[in-house]
Amino acid sequence: MSHKPALDISQLSYSFGSKTVLDRIGFRVERGECRMLLGPNGAGKTTLFSLVTRLYDSGQGRIEIAGFDLARDGSKALSRLGVVFQQTTLDLDLSILQNLRYHASLHGMSRKDATRRIEDELERQEMFDRRNEKVRYLNGGHRRRVEIARALLHEPSILLLDEPTVGLDIPSREGIVRYMHNLCSEKGIAILWATHLIDEVAQDDRITILHEGRLVAQGDMAGVLQAADAADIESAFRNLTGHGMAH
Amino acid sequence: MQQILNPRSETSRVTEWHIRMQLLHYLRALNGISERELLRFIRQRERFVAALVRPLVWLFVFAAGFRSALGVAIIPPYETYILYEVYITPGLIGMIQLFNGMQSSLSMVYDREMGSMKTLLVSPLPRWFLLTSKLLAGNAVSILQVYTFLLVAWFYGVRIPLEGYLWLLPALVVSGLMLGSLGMLLSSFIKQLENFAGVMNFVIFPMFFMSTALYPLWKMRESSQLLYQLAEYNPFSQAVELVRFALYGQFNQFALWYTLATLAVFLSLAIIGYNPSRGMMKRKGGG
């Protein structure tokens, strides 16, 4: 399946009652690609993520993850997906290790594989020595690192990040931005990253801009700047959506 | 060599391997969900104590005081006159399971508010399996509570035939699943923790008091025909009766079918309710 895009979305629409939240969205995220999903509040980013993670499942259109159709082959598609939600989804009363073991079991990993992968990912996040600590006692940045380790445990083809740096201090934010971009280039993992922070966008990233449920621009940095007739991404975002971006 | 050349047997071997892996995945997930439920339970020791103290207070205080006020005639499954403490024991077992069912749904509302329900729902298994596993795990915890309660009751003098403790187990699985799925159904319609407290009052108390847990049906009939009808068709009554008969090695067929039927209804509705695009999890599209 390696020749298939990590994520392929086509003609995706979704409505809450009479209100259209997503209107015929389509884009691809290739292997090893880091795609930033930009859009002001209410643009439809969270709805898009809820559809890709199958938390909502009656949208129109098609979503394929690593070549598996989410509607027809949901389990296979979801097994190729890693997610870091905006709000923490760790169990605060359990230890880091217990949280990760729980995730590994939901992905059907054997005890042996889980132990090896947990060690790898926690080492990479420099959290292995703290594996027996309760999540409740970790600060926001460390909780995020654990969530990233967890999302990568089953070696997904694509990682969804829903504003993962919200509420973190600057060093933690920078650490995550650096780590994620390395992940794309070195490990070949695809990333779809929802953000409204301009300093998280790197020069080589692909960009998709949503506004009021519609896709208003996509492509590489140069292409988006040209389409928006702007000199930098901040101006491009303002020209296309009428909103400013945070730093 | 022949097998390798035979494409059909190769295909069937691959299929067999896939099925085995799939089964293993389901088992590992069920194991993981149960382990998590148990860990959470162990970490909340006060929950275990509270779950035990509640029925014991009823047994030691209420039943002892009520004994002289209420005479229980000989009704099946009992073959002799019994003390009120003996009559009330299956009802208190039901109470443990009812509270546990509501408690685990409370934790689901909490999980959802905290977002950890998302971890469960985005894992690569069908939603019905994930929710049923959660229910089974919660039920295992309630069964532990019931046997601990019965141990204390044994020292207090409420003793049932030994084989009754064994027959009780399958009855507890069915009754616990039914009450757990009711809790899950309720939690699927509740958006916030605060609302859940109100529903507990409107569900737990009417279910408990309008049932055979505290008084036999014929007693209720004497005072009100309507109350009698309500109690008879109250799923909690039938769960209690299933347990009551099982404790004496007897099988109450109506109670079993009624409990299974209500279990099927509650569980199906809960699974529909937990479909985020249809049920309670539908939220305004943000971001």
Side-chain angles (χ1 to χ4, degrees):
Chain A
M1 288 291 171
S2 61
H3 58 287
K4 300 270 188 185
L7 179 68
D8 190 354
I9 294 174
S10 57
Q11 292 289 313
L12 188 66
S13 297
Y14 194 79
S15 308
F16 286 104
S18 59
K19 189 187 172 210
T20 303
V21 191
L22 287 178
D23 189 10
R24 286 164 293 160
I25 301 291
F27 63 89
R28 284 176 169 197
V29 187
E30 302 291 346
R31 276 173 60 87
E33 177 183 312
C34 186
R35 182 173 285 264
M36 305 308 268
L37 180 65
L38 310 178
N41 286 338
K45 300 193 297 287
T46 301
T47 305
L48 176 64
F49 272 35
S50 298
L51 286 165
V52 176
T53 52
R54 209 179 56 171
L55 283 172
Y56 294 170
D57 61 1
S58 60
Q60 289 171 352
R62 205 183 73 243
I63 300 171
E64 276 186 16
I65 301 170
F68 297 111
D69 188 322
L70 189 63
R72 278 188 293 121
D73 229 345
S75 292
K76 280 184 183 150
L78 288 177
S79 70
R80 308 305 312 144
L81 179 77
V83 197
V84 177
F85 290 105
Q86 197 173 354
Q87 285 164 334
T88 184
T89 56
L90 293 166
D91 197 321
L92 302 182
D93 289 319
L94 300 187
S95 70
I96 295 175
L97 192 62
Q98 286 164 344
N99 267 286
L100 297 194
R101 281 211 180 284
Y102 174 57
H103 178 86
S105 71
L106 291 177
H107 278 266
M109 292 166 77
S110 70
R111 192 93 180 164
K112 198 173 138 197
D113 283 349
T115 305
R116 182 180 54 82
R117 291 289 305 136
I118 288 171
E119 186 174 343
D120 283 357
E121 290 303 330
L122 284 182
E123 286 283 12
R124 205 163 287 145
Q125 297 291 339
E126 295 168 5
M127 293 295 288
F128 186 67
D129 292 340
R130 304 182 64 179
R131 63 192 179 283
N132 291 316
E133 284 181 33
K134 250 192 194 185
V135 171
R136 188 177 293 282
Y137 304 125
L138 302 179
N139 66 29
H142 288 151
R143 284 183 193 181
R144 268 293 178 241
R145 288 202 221 167
V146 175
E147 291 200 295
I148 292 167
R150 182 179 65 176
L152 293 168
L153 216 53
H154 56 285
E155 299 179 280
S157 304
I158 181 161
L159 196 56
L160 296 192
L161 305 171
D162 189 4
E163 305 195 8
T165 60
V166 165
L168 300 186
D169 55 26
I170 291 173
S172 301
R173 257 174 62 185
E174 285 173 352
I176 288 176
V177 171
R178 209 172 30 248
Y179 182 81
M180 287 303 164
H181 283 96
N182 285 344
L183 207 61
C184 288
S185 53
E186 286 167 19
K187 293 256 175 187
I189 291 178
I191 290 181
L192 178 62
W193 184 327
T195 184
H196 59 268
L197 300 172
I198 191 154
D199 48 10
E200 291 183 348
V201 185
Q203 202 60 37
D204 296 340
D205 291 342
R206 310 283 292 182
I207 294 163
T208 294
I209 302 180
L210 282 184
H211 181 46
E212 292 175 346
R214 284 177 301 108
L215 199 153
V216 290
Q218 70 167 325
D220 58 13
M221 183 74 86
V224 169
L225 295 184
Q226 195 180 14
D229 192 20
D232 55 58
I233 189 67
E234 194 173 2
S235 316
F237 187 78
R238 192 177 296 112
N239 290 353
L240 292 166
T241 67
H243 293 259
M245 277 184 89
H247 286 264
Chain B
M1 196 62 182
Q2 207 178 356
Q3 272 200 334
I4 294 167
L5 291 174
N6 183 347
R8 266 191 74 173
S9 76
E10 188 63 21
T11 316
S12 72
R13 241 182 319 167
V14 170
T15 316
E16 219 172 85
W17 182 82
H18 274 295
I19 292 171
R20 236 195 0 249
M21 290 312 286
Q22 190 79 358
L23 264 175
L24 213 56
H25 187 173
Y26 277 67
L27 282 176
R28 281 172 181 157
L30 175 61
N31 188 40
I33 294 169
S34 310
E35 205 176 295
R36 174 178 180 264
E37 204 70 22
L38 210 63
L39 279 170
R40 281 171 64 94
F41 183 72
I42 292 166
R43 289 193 182 249
Q44 299 170 345
R45 276 183 213 99
E46 62 279 11
R47 195 178 129 191
F48 186 83
V49 175
L52 210 56
V53 164
R54 200 178 300 116
L56 286 174
V57 167
W58 278 82
L59 185 67
F60 297 156
V61 183
F62 179 81
F66 219 57
R67 184 197 294 178
S68 50
L70 186 86
V72 180
I74 299 174
I75 46 162
Y78 307 108
E79 285 161 1
T80 56
Y81 282 108
I82 47 156
L83 286 177
Y84 186 60
E85 285 93 327
V86 174
Y87 178 82
I88 203 181
T89 296
L92 297 180
I93 292 175
M95 177 196 247
I96 294 173
Q97 292 201 301
L98 181 64
F99 270 88
N100 192 280
M102 298 300 145
Q103 187 92 45
S104 33
S105 359
L106 189 73
S107 81
M108 277 191 214
V109 177
Y110 173 80
D111 276 0
R112 211 170 56 223
E113 282 199 347
M114 293 306 292
S116 52
M117 198 69 180
K118 283 184 183 168
T119 315
L120 186 72
L121 295 179
V122 302
S123 53
L125 287 166
R127 192 166 287 139
W128 66 262
F129 175 79
L130 295 166
L131 294 174
T132 310
S133 300
K134 200 160 166 61
L135 210 56
L136 281 168
N139 196 19
V141 169
S142 90
I143 289 174
L144 266 176
Q145 291 171 335
V146 167
Y147 278 103
T148 314
F149 164 74
L150 283 175
L151 183 71
V152 180
W154 189 85
F155 284 110
Y156 183 66
V158 178
R159 294 175 186 182
I160 52 172
L162 267 184
E163 69 272 17
Y165 291 99
L166 199 66
W167 287 117
L168 177 64
L169 188 61
L172 287 179
V173 172
V174 177
S175 58
L177 281 179
M178 187 275 283
L179 294 168
S181 60
L182 172 65
M184 187 184 276
L185 172 63
L186 291 174
S187 79
S188 75
F189 290 107
I190 293 157
K191 286 214 165 91
Q192 281 176 331
L193 278 176
E194 293 78 35
N195 302 339
F196 199 78
V199 173
M200 289 194 52
N201 285 338
F202 286 105
V203 176
I204 288 192
F205 291 123
M207 266 196 124
F208 184 65
F209 289 115
M210 272 190 274
S211 76
T212 57
L214 298 179
Y215 7 79
L217 276 178
W218 65 266
K219 274 272 181 200
M220 264 181 251
R221 200 173 204 168
E222 280 177 359
S223 53
S224 159
Q225 186 66 23
L226 177 68
L227 194 64
Y228 165 76
Q229 297 274 349
L230 285 172
E232 169 130 52
Y233 295 105
N234 175 356
F236 183 68
S237 282
Q238 296 309 327
V240 168
E241 290 313 299
L242 183 68
V243 165
R244 190 188 304 285
F245 277 73
L247 280 172
Y248 295 89
Q250 293 181 39
F251 175 52
N252 186 330
Q253 210 172 343
F254 176 72
L256 175 70
W257 290 119
Y258 196 85
T259 313
L260 281 174
T262 43
L263 161 62
V265 172
F266 292 155
L267 186 57
S268 311
L269 290 175
I271 290 167
I272 293 170
Y274 264 90
N275 183 337
S277 51
R278 265 180 276 169
M280 50 68 213
M281 289 172 84
K282 189 162 182 168
R283 287 179 187 166
K284 283 186 175 176

